[in-house]
C-alpha cells in the first residue's frame, strides 16, 4: 500500500546544482555501467543524486533488478522517491560504489564530506570491490585543502579534546560546522558534530593521525584508496 500524503514524492534536490551539464555526463557514464542483479553503494551529494536519477531511468525503461545501499538520509529518501529498491550493508555487500568528491589531487587522494556523510561514505567505499568517483572539472586540484577544509565527525562529549588535538595538527584553523536550517551546530545522521579543519599542507599520514584521536568517528580525507575517477 502506498502513502497518500505526497511528502516523499514532493522532495527534490534542495539547492541549485552547479555544473549541471558536466554532472549529467558523468551520471550517464555511471548508469551505463549498471548490470542487472547488482547491489550498488550510492554516494551522497548532487553528482551522486544525478547518477541515481539516471539509474532509476534505466530501471524503469529496462526493468533492471538492482538494490541500493545509500550513504545518507537524503539518498535514502531519493531512492524511495525514484523507485530504487533499498538494502543494507548487513544484508548485502555492494558489487561497486559510486560517489562524488569535493577535491581530488593528482595522486587521487580526496576530500569528501561537504554533505556531512563521510562516515557512511567511507564505510561503503571500504566495503566495495570497486569504487568510481564522479567529479566535474572544478574538483581537480593541485593540492588537497585548496578550496575545502577536511571535515571531521566528532563524538559530542569529545569536542573540546578533539578540537585541541586537531589544532595541534593544523594551526590553520578548526571551526565547528553550524547548521543552516536549525539553531546551533550541524548534527550528523549518527548524532555527532563536525569540525572543519583547514590545512596548509596535508602530509600522507594525516588521515591516520586524525583517526587516532580519541573521539574522532571519521574524517573526510581519503588517502591512497583504490578508486577510479570518472570525469565528464
Ligand atoms: C557528501 C560528499 C559529496 O560527494 C561531495 O560533497 C560532492 O558533492 P557534489 O556532488 O554535490 O559536488 O562527500 O558528503
Amino acid at each position: 500500500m502506498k502513502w497518500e500524503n505526497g511528502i516523499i514524492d514532493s522532495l527534490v534536490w534542495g539547492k541549485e546544482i552547479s555544473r549541471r551539464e558536466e554532472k549529467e555526463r558523468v551520471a550517464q557514464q555511471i548508469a551505463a555501467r549498471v548490470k542487472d542483479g547488482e547491489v550498488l553503494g550510492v554516494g551522497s551529494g548532487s553528482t551522486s543524486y544525478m547518477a541515481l536519477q539516471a539509474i532509476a531511468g534505466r530501471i524503469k525503461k529496462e526493468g533492471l533488478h538492482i538494490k541500493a545501499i545509500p550513504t545518507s538520509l537524503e539518498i535514502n529518501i531519493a531512492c524511495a522517491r525514484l523507485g530504487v529498491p533499498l538494502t543494507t550493508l548487513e544484508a548485502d555487500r555492494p558489487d561497486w560504489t559510486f560517489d562524488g568528491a569535493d577535491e581530488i589531487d593528482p595522486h587521487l587522494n580526496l576530500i569528501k564530506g561537504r554533505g556531512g556523510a563521510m562516515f557512511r561514505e567511507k564505510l561503503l567505499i571500504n566495503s566495495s570491490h570497486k569504487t568510481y568517483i564522479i567529479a566535474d572539472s572544478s574538483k581537480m586540484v593541485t593540492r588537497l585543502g585548496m578550496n575545502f577544509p577536511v571535515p571531521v565527525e566528532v563524538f559530542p562529549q569529545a569536542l573540546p579534546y578533539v578540537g585541541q588535538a586537531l589544532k595541534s595538527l593544523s594551526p590553520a584553523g578548526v571551526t565547528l560546522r553550524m547548521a543552516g536550517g536549525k539553531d546551533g551546530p550541524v548534527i550528523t545522521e549518527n548524532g555527532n558534530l563536525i569540525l572543519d579543519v583547514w590545512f596548509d599542507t596535508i602530509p600522507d599520514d594525516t588521515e591516520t593521525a586524525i583517526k587516532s584521536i580519541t573521539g574522532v568517528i571519521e574524517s573526510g580525507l581519503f588517502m591512497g584508496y583504490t578508486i577510479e575517477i570518472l570525469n565528464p
Side-chain angles (χ1 to χ4, degrees), residues 13 17-18 23 43-49 74 99-102 111-118 121 134 136 138-139 148 222:
W13 191 254
I17 296 183
S18 62
K23 288 178 179 171
S44 298
S46 59
T47 322
S48 295
Y49 172 70
E74 71 266 16
D99 203 346
D102 300 312
I111 290 180
K112 292 183 44 51
R114 177 199 50 76
M118 55 276 182
E121 290 170 343
I134 44 179
D136 64 71
S138 71
K139 309 297 177 63
F148 281 87
F222 291 66

Side-chain angles (χ1 to χ4, degrees), residues 7-128:
I7 288 177
I8 295 291
D9 290 338
S10 66
L11 287 171
V12 285
W13 191 254
K15 289 162 255 152
E16 170 103 8
I17 296 183
S18 62
R19 296 181 184 255
R20 190 178 257 281
E21 281 166 23
E22 286 186 45
K23 288 178 179 171
E24 184 55 41
R25 285 203 290 277
V26 282
Q28 294 301 333
Q29 288 182 49
I30 285 294
R33 282 177 155 76
V34 175
K35 295 196 193 75
D36 197 32
E38 284 184 325
V39 173
L40 306 178
V42 181
S44 298
S46 59
T47 322
S48 295
Y49 172 70
M50 290 183 70
L52 184 67
Q53 277 186 314
I55 292 167
R58 280 199 63 199
I59 292 175
K60 258 203 186 116
K61 207 165 146 199
E62 300 168 40
L64 293 183
H65 295 91
I66 69 122
K67 288 188 282 184
I69 306 180
T71 51
S72 61
L73 183 57
E74 71 266 16
I75 291 298
N76 201 104
I77 293 172
C79 285
R81 184 170 66 77
L82 295 166
V84 179
L86 290 161
T87 185
T88 61
L89 261 185
E90 291 91 331
D92 286 297
R93 185 172 187 182
D95 290 288
W96 52 281
T97 287
F98 62 90
D99 203 346
D102 300 312
E103 290 187 352
I104 304 171
D105 80 4
H107 308 288
L108 308 190
N109 298 314
L110 314 173
I111 290 180
K112 292 183 44 51
R114 177 199 50 76
M118 55 276 182
F119 175 50
R120 272 165 72 183
E121 290 170 343
K122 200 172 276 190
L123 185 58
L124 258 294
I125 289 172
N126 280 333
S127 302
S128 300

